[in-house]
């Protein structure tokens, strides 16, 4: 059997820096404008890299992880804009299904269908998903994760409680920053919890290569007119911390 080697993809450089500091025997390999960091975390081999943004970039990065580094499983963390009214900034979404919301080859295929695969959604393996749900649940219980932030930060982002939701994530090459964009996606994908720009592309590559994956997103903004302000402040102050704790918990 192939030795376990975890690929850790982060959608933010800030997040990657923290994870890289967990690596023992760290080495750096630069290729294709990406810096891959190899080493071990808790005696398990790991490769850590910033995905870069958008579907093409992130699909390329994960392909490189699989083909060149021989990863046997993948964890992806990043931020996302909330579509579901039940989500607040700081909540965590674990994808049980992923769709490329900008994939539309009608009339030759149905909307969202991935050419040649004949499916519209991708799913993480049940065992990996279940395990992730348990661990992330432990991480946020009793406000443990929020309490790592200063009181000022908790207040600033109104982080009084934090929930974890499991459901559908939609990905595409679009940053959602208006209520109209939200309404439009809800009209065609009513059960989408949040939107981002990489997850479903990464999931497709993992599916095609038979690599178990899990995609976890922290809500950074409400995908509306406020999203740019919320997003930038949240990333620098909160998301990088949460991302690191998520990876620590999943690699324990
Ligand atoms: N910080 C960068 C932009 C990052 S692109 C800059 O300012 O130049 C946006 C990243 O956040 C992507 O990883 C995307 O997946 C995620 N994201 C967060 N909120 C989003 C939203 N409202 N719509 C789409 N993607 C969002």
């Amino acid at each position: 059997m192939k030795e376990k080697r975890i690929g850790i993809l982060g959608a933010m450089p800030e997040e990657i820096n923290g994870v890289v500091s967990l690596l023992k025997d760290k080495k750096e390999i630069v290729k294709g404008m990406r810096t891959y960091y190899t080493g071990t975390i808790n005696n398990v081999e790991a490769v850590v890299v910033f995905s870069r943004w958008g579907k093409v970039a992130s699909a390329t990065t994960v392909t490189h992880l699989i083909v060149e580094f021989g990863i046997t499983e993948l964890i992806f963390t990043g931020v996302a804009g909330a579509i579901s009214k039940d989500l607040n900034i700081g909540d965590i979404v674990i994808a049980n299904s992923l769709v490329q919301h900008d994939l539309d080859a009608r009339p030759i295929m149905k909307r969202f269908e991935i050419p040649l695969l004949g499916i519209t959604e991708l799913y993480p393996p049940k065992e990996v998903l279940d395990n992730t749900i348990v661990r992330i649940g432990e991480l946020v219980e009793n406000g443990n994760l929020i309490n790592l932030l200063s009181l000022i930060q908790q207040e600033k982002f109104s982080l009084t409680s934090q929930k974890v939701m499991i459901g559908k994530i939609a990905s595409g090459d679009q940053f959602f920053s208006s209520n109209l964009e939200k309404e439009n996606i809800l009209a065609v994908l009513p059960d989408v919890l949040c939107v981002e720009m990489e997850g479903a592309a990464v999931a497709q590559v993992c599916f095609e290569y038979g690599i178990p994956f899990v995609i976890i997103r922290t809500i950074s903004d409400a995908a509306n007119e406020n999203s740019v302000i919320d997003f930038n402040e949240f990333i620098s102050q909160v998301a990088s911390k949460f991302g690191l704790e998520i990876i620590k918990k999943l690699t324990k």
Side-chain angles (χ1 to χ4, degrees), residues 46 68 74 95 97 114 126 128:
E68 292 286 321
L74 183 98
S97 134
I114 304 169
K126 185 175 176 339
V128 180

Side-chain angles (χ1 to χ4, degrees), residues 11 53 79-81 174-177 195-198 217 220-221 223 227 231-232 235:
W53 295 311
V79 291
Q174 178 185 346
F175 187 84
F176 282 65
S177 59
V195 285
E196 38 87 315
M197 299 172 65
E198 300 84 18
R217 293 279 176 169
S220 55
D221 56 82
S227 52
F231 175 80
N232 286 319
I235 294 222

Side-chain angles (χ1 to χ4, degrees), residues 39 44 47 82-83 105 132 158-160 167 176 209:
V44 175
V47 189
I83 297 296
T132 306
S158 312
L159 292 172
T160 47
F176 282 65
Y209 284 85

Side-chain angles (χ1 to χ4, degrees), residues 50-109:
F50 164 41
S51 62
R52 297 167 76 85
W53 295 311
K55 292 201 303 176
V56 173
S58 56
T60 304
T61 312
V62 71
T63 307
H64 193 99
L65 278 177
I66 296 169
V67 175
E68 292 286 321
F69 289 99
I71 60 160
T72 57
E73 56 189 79
L74 183 98
I75 305 170
F76 189 135
T77 63
V79 291
I83 297 296
S84 163
K85 288 191 183 65
D86 298 331
L87 283 168
N88 299 313
I89 291 181
D91 288 340
I92 294 177
V93 175
I94 305 172
N96 66 6
S97 134
L98 294 118
V99 58
Q100 294 172 46
H101 65 72
D102 55 357
L103 185 45
D104 188 356
R106 288 175 298 170
I108 55 169
M109 287 170 206

Side-chain angles (χ1 to χ4, degrees), residues 102-143:
D102 55 357
L103 185 45
D104 188 356
R106 288 175 298 170
I108 55 169
M109 287 170 206
K110 57 176 187 289
R111 192 160 186 183
F112 311 121
E113 181 174 325
I114 304 169
L116 302 174
L117 297 186
I119 52 175
T120 55
E121 288 177 31
L122 294 146
Y123 311 100
K126 185 175 176 339
E127 199 188 321
V128 180
L129 177 64
D130 288 348
N131 179 38
T132 306
I133 293 170
V134 171
R135 290 187 183 220
I136 301 298
E138 287 168 4
L139 185 66
V140 305
E141 73 189 354
N142 307 324

